[in-house]
């Protein structure tokens, strides 16, 4: 499942992840709210989409960076649905669900550390199955945190923007630290911390955009913005590089 072409870590990558987080959050809400699919039906559809993307990567001779970004969007949408299931189906509070998902994320990171993958050096973590499972878990945690903070502050029309401001500060601090240490080599822990913070931010901003513009319009505009950004802002991709674990 290792993707043959992945984007280089840098400002373009993080801008892309932020836009994809908004679009994926809208996509995750679009499936049950507009398409009227059940929780299980929506997840099965997204799982099939991810399988098709992974298969296209394997069948491609050289790979394509677009496949990586499509996989990110699909997993972001799935993370939104999983977070909703974790809260509404289990009837647990946001703190409990956040703690459980955070514990799973820590366990996955520990598993990556003791795996046979090369040590932290440069670029993205290896985009194997464990990477995508970790990405899904980090996205779910970010969604639960974003929704949790937004819903704890009443009314929700005030809570969600406040949560977005908090998440914006967290993203800025983490990325500033990564830039100071060199974005490409700051290490796996800071990479996944940035992913969780951006997912939290994207959940809130996606909710605000979906409320103001409607889910279909927000999803379409953010998707077009992501595609345009990646096409216009060209940087060398990484076909095969030593990577963080």
């Amino acid at each position: 499942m290792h993707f043959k072409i992945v984007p280089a870590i840098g400002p373009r990558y993080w801008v892309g992840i932020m836009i994809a987080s908004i679009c994926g959050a809208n996509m995750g809400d679009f499936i049950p709210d507009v398409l009227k699919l059940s929780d299980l039906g929506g997840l099965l559809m997204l799982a099939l989409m991810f399988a098709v993307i992974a298969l296209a990567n394997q069948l491609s001779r050289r790979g394509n960076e677009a496949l990586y970004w499509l996989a990110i969007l699909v997993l972001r949408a799935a993370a939104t649905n999983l977070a909703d299931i974790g809260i509404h189906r289990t009837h647990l509070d946001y703190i409990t669900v956040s703690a459980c998902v955070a514990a799973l994320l820590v366990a996955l990171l520990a598993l990556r550390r003791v795996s046979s993958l090369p040590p932290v050096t440069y670029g993205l973590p290896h985009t194997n199955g464990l990477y995508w499972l970790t990405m899904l878990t980090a996205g779910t945690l970010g969604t639960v945190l974003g929704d949790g903070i937004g819903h704890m502050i009443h009314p929700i029309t005030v809570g969600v923007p406040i949560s977005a401001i908090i998440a914006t500060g967290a993203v800025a601090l983490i990325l500033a630290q990564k830039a100071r240490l060199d974005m490409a080599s700051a290490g796996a822990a800071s990479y996944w911390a940035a992913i969780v913070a951006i997912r939290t931010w994207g959940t809130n901003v996606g909710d605000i955009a979906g409320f103001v513009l409607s889910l279909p319009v927000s999803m379409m505009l953010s998707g077009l913005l992501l595609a345009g950004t990646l096409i216009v802002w060209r940087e060398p991709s990484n076909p095969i590089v030593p990577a963080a674990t």
Side-chain angles (χ1 to χ4, degrees):
M1 195 179 290
H2 182 78
F3 276 48
K4 299 175 181 177
I5 298 291
V6 297
I9 290 289
R12 174 181 180 269
Y13 177 81
W14 293 113
V15 170
I17 286 291
M18 293 177 76
I19 301 172
S21 188
I22 298 172
C23 184
N26 288 153
M27 188 188 304
D29 290 333
F30 181 87
I31 291 171
D33 294 352
V34 179
L35 297 183
K36 304 301 181 182
L37 291 179
S38 65
D39 295 334
L40 180 59
L43 286 175
L44 287 175
M45 182 185 74
L46 291 169
L48 178 60
M49 292 172 63
F50 185 85
V52 170
I53 294 168
L55 180 61
N57 172 73
Q58 294 301 315
L59 294 178
S60 173
R61 289 185 60 186
R62 296 185 178 180
N64 192 306
E65 185 189 335
L67 295 174
Y68 174 87
W69 290 107
L70 288 173
I72 287 290
L73 284 174
V74 169
L75 285 192
R76 180 65 182 96
T80 299
N81 292 344
L82 284 174
D84 290 341
I85 292 173
I87 294 297
H88 302 304
R89 288 296 184 93
T90 63
H91 303 292
L92 297 174
D93 58 79
Y94 284 102
I95 295 177
T96 302
V97 174
S98 297
C100 292
V101 180
L104 176 58
L105 179 60
V106 170
L108 289 172
L109 295 180
L111 180 61
R112 292 186 65 86
R113 182 174 290 275
V114 300
S115 67
S116 58
L117 296 174
V120 175
T121 51
Y122 175 81
L124 280 177
H126 281 278
T127 53
N128 57 4
L130 187 55
Y131 170 84
W132 294 111
L133 179 58
T134 308
M135 182 65 74
L136 178 62
T137 305
T140 304
L141 177 58
T143 303
V144 174
L145 290 174
D147 285 342
I149 297 172
H151 284 79
M152 284 191 296
I153 303 173
H154 299 286
I156 191 172
T157 51
V158 175
V160 172
I162 290 177
S163 181
I165 293 172
I166 295 172
T168 300
V171 171
L173 286 173
I174 293 171
L175 292 185
Q177 179 70 2
K178 287 182 70 63
R180 187 179 69 84
L181 297 175
D182 178 359
M183 281 190 175
S185 59
S190 64
Y191 172 82
W192 291 110
I195 291 294
V196 172
I198 290 172
R199 297 308 197 210
T200 303
W201 176 88
T203 295
N204 297 140
V205 176
D207 286 344
I208 294 171
F211 177 78
V212 174
L213 302 174
S214 81
L215 277 175
V217 173
S218 178
M219 182 176 68
M220 180 184 66
L221 291 179
S222 56
L224 290 174
L225 179 60
L226 175 63
T229 300
L230 296 175
I231 291 172
V232 174
W233 190 352
R234 302 296 297 176
E235 285 186 356
S237 299
N238 293 327
I240 299 177
V241 295
T245 57

